[in-house]
C-alpha cells in the first residue's frame, strides 16, 4: 500500500485514503458516515489512516460521500412574471442558507418542453424538484401528466404549489380562500356591494378557489351573484384585465369595485377604467392579488394581497430538504396571505350603471 502524500501539494481525498487502505472509495465513504455496516478489519484500517492524516472531507467531497448533489431543481412556468421571479430569488436564498444550490428551468407552458426539462433535472441528479406554476396547478388533473411526473420523479422528491392527484408530491400552497376573505372584508367594510372578479381561468386551482369563496361570501352577506361580473375564461396578463373590463363597460354592468386575479390583470383593468373617463378609487375601486413591484409602482398604488414570498420560498425549500433527508413533513402546508392597503381602494360610490 502506498502513501497518498507522495505529492505534498495534492489535497487528500477519499480516493487517496482508499488507495492506502486497499479498499474502495465507497468503503471509505461508509466509514466516514457510519451509514452501513463495514467489515471490522477494513473499518479499522480506514479509520487509522483517517486519524493519521486528521482527514476531514471538504464540502464537495461530503457531497460525494453523501451521494447527494446538494442541488434542488426548480421548474417554473415563466420567470419573467414578477411573482415567479420573486419566488425564485426567495428559494435560491433559502437554499443557500442550507448549503444547497438551485437549478432553474422555465417550461413556458409547453408540455413537451416540461417533459424534456424534467428529464434534464433527473440526469443532473438533483436531490429534489420544486414545481412552480405549471400544469400541477390545474384543477382537473391530467392523468397522462401524472404518469409523466411519476415516471420522471420516481426517485426524486417533488414539491408542488398546486395539486397532483395520484402522485406522492408534497404541496405548499397559498391559502387562496383566505385571500378572498381578506379582500372581501376590506371591500364590504367600505360599503361595496356590487363587486366583480376579473382575470384567470376556472381550470386553475387558485382562481377556482378564489371565485368559489367569493360566491360563498356574497351568499353569506345576502348579496346578488351576477355571472357577468365574474370572468370565466380569462388569462393572467394585462390584456386579459383590459379586455374583461371593457366588456363590462360595453354591457353597462359596472361594479363599484373589481377584484383582479393578479397585479398584471389589475393594470389592464385600471387602464380600461381610466380610458372611460372614470377615477380610481373615486368611481371604481380596484384590488388585486400578488403584491409584486407592480402594485407599488402603479398609479394609484394598488391594494393587493401579499403572499410573503420570502417565507413561501423558504417553506418550499425546507420541505424539499426534509423530504431529501426522509424526515416527516406534512403533505399539505398553507401560506397565510396578508392584505396591503394602498390608494386604489376607497369607499363605495353609487352603482355606476344605476346612475341617471
Amino acid at each position: 500500500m502506498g502513501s497518498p502524500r507522495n505529492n505534498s501539494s495534492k489535497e487528500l481525498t477519499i480516493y487517496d485514503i482508499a488507495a492506502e487502505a486497499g479498499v474502495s472509495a465507497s468503503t471509505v465513504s461508509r466509514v466516514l458516515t457510519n451509514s452501513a455496516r463495514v467489515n471490522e478489519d477494513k473499518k479499522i484500517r480506514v479509520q487509522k489512516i483517517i486519524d493519521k492524516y486528521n482527514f476531514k472531507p471538504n464540502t464537495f467531497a461530503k457531497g460525494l460521500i453523501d451521494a447527494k448533489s446538494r442541488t434542488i431543481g426548480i421548474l417554473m412556468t415563466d420567470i419573467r412574471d414578477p411573482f415567479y421571479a420573486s419566488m425564485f430569488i426567495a428559494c435560491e436564498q433559502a437554499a443557500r442558507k442550507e448549503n444547497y444550490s438551485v437549478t432553474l428551468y422555465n417550461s413556458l407552458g409547453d408540455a413537451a418542453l416540461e417533459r424534456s426539462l424534467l428529464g434534464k433535472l433527473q440526469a443532473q441528479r438533483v436531490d429534489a424538484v420544486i414545481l412552480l406554476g405549471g400544469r400541477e396547478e390545474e384543477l382537473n388533473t391530467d392523468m397522462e401528466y401524472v404518469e409523466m411526473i411519476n415516471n420522471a420523479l420516481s426517485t426524486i422528491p417533488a414539491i408542488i404549489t398546486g395539486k397532483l392527484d395520484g402522485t406522492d408530491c408534497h404541496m405548499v400552497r397559498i391559502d387562496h380562500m383566505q385571500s378572498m376573505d381578506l379582500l372581501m372584508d376590506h371591500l364590504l367594510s367600505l360599503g361595496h356591494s356590487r363587486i366583480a372578479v376579473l382575470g384567470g381561468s376556472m381550470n386553475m386551482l387558485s382562481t377556482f378557489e378564489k371565485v368559489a369563496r367569493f360566491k360563498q361570501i356574497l351568499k353569506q352577506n345576502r348579496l346578488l351573484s351576477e355571472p357577468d361580473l365574474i370572468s370565466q375564461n380569462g388569462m393572467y396578463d394585462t390584456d386579459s384585465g383590459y379586455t374583461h373590463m371593457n366588456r363590462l363597460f360595453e354591457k353597462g354592468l359596472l361594479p363599484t369595485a373589481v377584484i383582479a386575479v393578479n397585479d398584471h390583470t389589475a393594470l389592464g383593468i385600471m387602464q380600461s377604467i381610466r380610458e372611460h373617463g372614470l377615477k380610481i378609487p373615486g368611481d371604481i375601486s380596484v384590488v388585486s392579488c400578488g403584491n409584486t413591484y407592480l402594485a407599488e409602482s402603479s398609479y394609484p398604488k394598488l391594494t393587493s394581497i401579499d403572499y410573503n414570498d420570502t417565507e413561501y420560498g423558504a417553506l418550499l425549500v425546507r420541505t424539499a430538504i426534509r423530504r431529501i433527508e426522509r424526515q416527516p413533513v406534512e403533505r399539505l402546508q398553507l401560506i397565510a396571505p396578508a392584505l396591503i392597503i394602498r390608494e386604489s381602494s376607497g369607499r363605495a360610490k353609487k352603482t355606476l350603471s344605476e346612475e341617471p
Side-chain angles (χ1 to χ4, degrees):
M1 294 182 290
S3 169
R5 307 306 290 164
N6 291 335
N7 183 351
S8 60
S9 64
K10 178 184 175 184
E11 183 179 356
L12 192 67
T13 70
I14 62 171
Y15 300 102
D16 297 321
I17 299 289
E20 184 166 343
V23 298
S24 67
S26 61
T27 298
V28 177
S29 172
R30 289 194 291 271
V31 172
L32 285 165
T33 60
N34 291 314
S35 60
R37 292 181 63 85
V38 180
N39 176 278
E40 191 64 23
D41 179 58
K42 291 181 180 179
K43 183 176 181 179
I44 291 171
R45 294 204 320 260
V46 169
Q47 192 61 54
K48 281 183 178 179
I49 298 170
I50 290 171
D51 294 340
K52 174 182 175 182
Y53 297 110
N54 191 26
F55 175 69
K56 292 181 175 60
N58 60 29
T59 301
F60 177 72
K62 285 179 180 176
L64 293 175
I65 291 168
D66 295 338
K68 294 185 177 71
S69 66
R70 300 198 71 82
T71 301
I72 297 172
I74 298 178
L75 180 58
M76 64 173 53
T77 182
D78 193 339
I79 199 172
R80 291 172 296 186
D81 184 303
F83 172 72
Y84 291 115
S86 296
M87 284 299 300
F88 172 70
I89 294 297
C91 289
E92 185 178 39
Q93 291 175 336
R96 189 178 298 121
K97 289 179 181 178
E98 300 294 334
N99 197 28
Y100 275 77
S101 60
V102 294
T103 296
L104 171 68
Y105 286 118
N106 292 278
S107 67
L108 305 175
D110 185 322
L113 177 60
E114 185 170 352
R115 182 190 298 271
S116 172
L117 294 177
L118 282 170
K120 285 187 177 182
L121 288 170
Q122 191 176 34
Q124 291 173 14
R125 299 178 62 84
V126 298
D127 297 326
V129 173
I130 295 173
L131 301 175
L132 264 165
R135 296 178 64 195
E136 41 86 27
E137 291 196 0
E138 292 178 356
L139 180 65
N140 299 312
T141 302
D142 183 287
M143 295 316 296
E144 288 186 6
Y145 181 68
V146 167
E147 186 176 355
M148 181 189 79
I149 293 294
N150 285 338
N151 289 337
L153 304 178
S154 57
T155 59
I156 306 172
I159 317 301
I160 63 175
T161 56
K163 73 176 187 69
L164 275 178
D165 301 326
T167 72
D168 190 36
C169 298
H170 279 60
M171 297 163 282
V172 180
R173 296 206 308 248
I174 298 162
D175 190 338
H176 295 293
M177 291 192 176
Q178 187 180 359
S179 297
M180 186 56 69
D181 286 344
L182 294 171
L183 289 172
M184 287 297 285
D185 284 348
H186 176 61
L187 294 175
L188 293 174
S189 73
L190 294 172
H192 294 278
S193 59
R194 197 176 200 193
I195 303 167
V197 177
L198 301 182
S201 167
M202 289 294 285
N203 189 41
M204 300 304 288
L205 179 66
S206 59
T207 303
F208 177 85
E209 289 184 339
K210 288 172 186 170
V211 172
R213 185 60 180 150
F214 172 72
K215 291 179 178 179
Q216 286 179 340
I217 295 170
L218 289 180
K219 187 174 182 179
Q220 290 168 0
N221 288 273
R222 298 180 180 178
L223 297 175
L224 180 64
S225 178
E226 301 179 70
D228 286 335
L229 295 184
I230 303 173
S231 63
Q232 300 291 320
N233 296 299
M235 297 296 289
Y236 295 84
D237 55 18
T238 303
D239 287 344
S240 182
Y242 182 74
T243 298
H244 282 294
M245 193 66 214
N246 280 342
R247 287 175 184 167
L248 293 187
F249 276 107
E250 291 167 4
K251 294 179 179 181
L253 297 172
L254 295 188
T256 62
V258 179
I259 297 173
V261 73
N262 65 10
D263 293 344
H264 272 295
T265 308
L267 293 185
I269 292 166
M270 294 166 79
Q271 180 183 347
S272 173
I273 292 171
R274 284 193 294 265
E275 288 182 0
H276 284 84
L278 300 181
K279 295 179 180 179
I280 306 166
D283 295 310
I284 302 177
S285 289
V286 180
V287 298
S288 180
C289 298
N291 197 37
T292 64
Y293 74 87
L294 298 174
E296 184 67 33
S297 59
S298 67
Y299 180 78
K301 293 182 179 180
L302 186 60
T303 294
S304 188
I305 289 290
D306 183 78
Y307 297 140
N308 194 347
D309 297 348
T310 300
E311 175 56 26
Y312 194 3
L315 184 56
L316 283 166
V317 169
R318 287 200 304 270
T319 302
I321 292 174
R322 289 185 70 85
R323 291 276 285 137
I324 292 166
E325 296 176 350
R326 299 182 181 180
Q327 297 179 9
V329 61
E330 294 180 35
R331 185 70 182 271
L332 170 63
Q333 300 170 86
L334 294 176
I335 291 290
L339 179 64
I340 308 300
I341 300 174
R342 298 191 179 93
E343 294 86 355
S344 69
S345 55
R347 294 209 62 82
K349 187 177 180 178
K350 182 179 178 182
T351 304
L352 295 176
S353 58
E354 297 176 352
E355 292 183 351

